Every structure is written in C-alpha cells, then in structure tokens.
Amino acid sequence: MSSLIPLALGLASISLSTSYILSSNSNTQSRLAEHPTPEDIDPLSSNPNQGPGYISVPPAYNDDGNRGSTSNLPDFNWDSFRYLIPLPADTGFGWKSSNRMPSDSEMAQEALTEESLLRFPTFKMEDAVTLGMNLRKRFRASSRHAKGKGCVISIQSMQGACMFACAVGEGSDVSLDAWWVMEGMIKVVRRTGHSSFYIEKGSNAIGKPPEQLGLPFPEYRINGGAFPIWLQSSTVGPIGVIGVYSGSSVEDHQMIIATLRSFFNRMTERAGSPSTAGGRDP
C-alpha cells in the first residue's frame, strides 16, 4: 500500500529560472543568479592550519538554504573539494565494463560528472511533480519494492519549500525516522551544493569524517539519495533538491540518476534533437 501526498504549492506554471527562485528572499537570489559578482562566488583558497579546501568566507548556503555561514560549523570550500579527491586511475569509467568494484574516488568523480550533465533548461512545479511520480513508479517496479521494501521521496527548493512528497510502502521504511534521515541528506546538498552521494564517496576517498567537513551526524546524513537541481544557465548554485531514501545509498542515488536521464531523454525526443543530458536511460 502506498500513500501519495503530492504537495505542489499550486500546480501553476511557476518557472524556477535564474531570475525566479522559490524563496522568501527571491529578490536577493535573483540578483545573485542574474549578476553574480566575484564576492558572491566562493574563491579557491586554503588555510595553512587546516589544509587546502578550508576558507574564511561563508559556504554557498546555510541550513536554511540562504547564502551565509552556519554557526559553530567549520567553513569548508566545496568548490575545491574535488581537488582533494585522488584522481581515478581510469577517468573514463572503464571499471563499468569490468567485474571489479569501483573505488570511492571513481564513484565520486562519476557523481560529479552527473551533476554537470543532468541540468535543467528551466524548472517548473509541474516538473517536480512529474519527477516525483516517475521516481515513485520506478521504485514500485523495482526488485526492492517486490521484496517488501518502502521508500520516501521529497523534492524541495533550496529554501525548504516542498514541491513534492510521497511515501511508497508502509512500516519502518516510511516512518518518521526515514523522513528524518532523508532531511539530513537534503541538508547535505543545501550546505555543499553537491549530491550526498558525491560527498559520501569523496569524504571516504580523502579519509575525512563528516564532522571535519562541517557535516556533523546526526544532523547531516552522508548517504546517497539527495541530488541537486541545477539550471543550465546558473553559475551560483542549485535551486532545489531531489531526495529519495530507502536505506540503500547506491541504489537510491542510481534511481534518481536513471529517472533524470529518462526525463531528459523524453524532453529531448519531444524537442526532436539528440540527447545531451547524461546518455540513455539504463
């Protein structure tokens, strides 16, 4: 039995473009999106006492989805995080055709590539509902659901406005604890601007616990399943987050990626041009 609670804040054609972002401070956000200045973009720098990647300026977003620092947490430059991760031996993801398990650095590199490819030309409320329903349908067709597993799904703006939410299944898999874990994963995206899977694998690759990155447990959950919603035209940061939690870091992340690829492929087919968004849906 599945319960569906699409929270669409009015299914009007509200377009989340670079000049319009769902926010109580949308005027400031739209200025940042349209005319970012060097002061708006976190610079690459390092603190000699803490190593590369640490900065003295605020991170991209605080816990409320607004730009600025979060009190009592170290400021970490997530733009330079990628440079701390050891480069994979095979940057072409050749491990996919082999039988070996990919390393953390390889999975982090792939997740970062996915973030750069799977971006929206525009994003409307209808898109959030369509994505949410597609995620629900994909999970219901999965072997995990056939075995009795459940999941929770949420799509939110960076400021926390809910555009879609639903639960599939019943019991502990869709309990308040499950929603709490997913919110912790979404908070990782809000603070870093990156997918929770990328942060999980990247932090494993560099051997740093989440607390040293300013992501203390249990407030932040370093599990795959939360993915940023980027606009193709944006250079500032994501405008929203897609969250899925069913207890499997890899499978939850891959379900989002497969759903996004399918979404973009259908969009491209309707436009009648070749797909450029992350390849064909597996």
Side-chain angles (χ1 to χ4, degrees), residues 17-23 25-36 40 67 159 236 239:
S17 63
T18 51
S19 61
Y20 185 91
I21 299 177
L22 282 178
S23 168
N25 62 343
S26 58
N27 291 336
T28 301
Q29 289 285 5
S30 62
R31 179 191 67 77
L32 290 169
E34 291 179 349
H35 306 289
D40 294 327
R67 294 181 68 85
Q159 289 71 35
V236 178
I239 60 169

Side-chain angles (χ1 to χ4, degrees), residues 33 40 48 81 91 123 132 139 191 197 218 257:
D40 294 327
F81 182 61
T91 57
F123 193 81
F139 183 78
R191 179 152 174 81
F197 189 72
I257 298 306

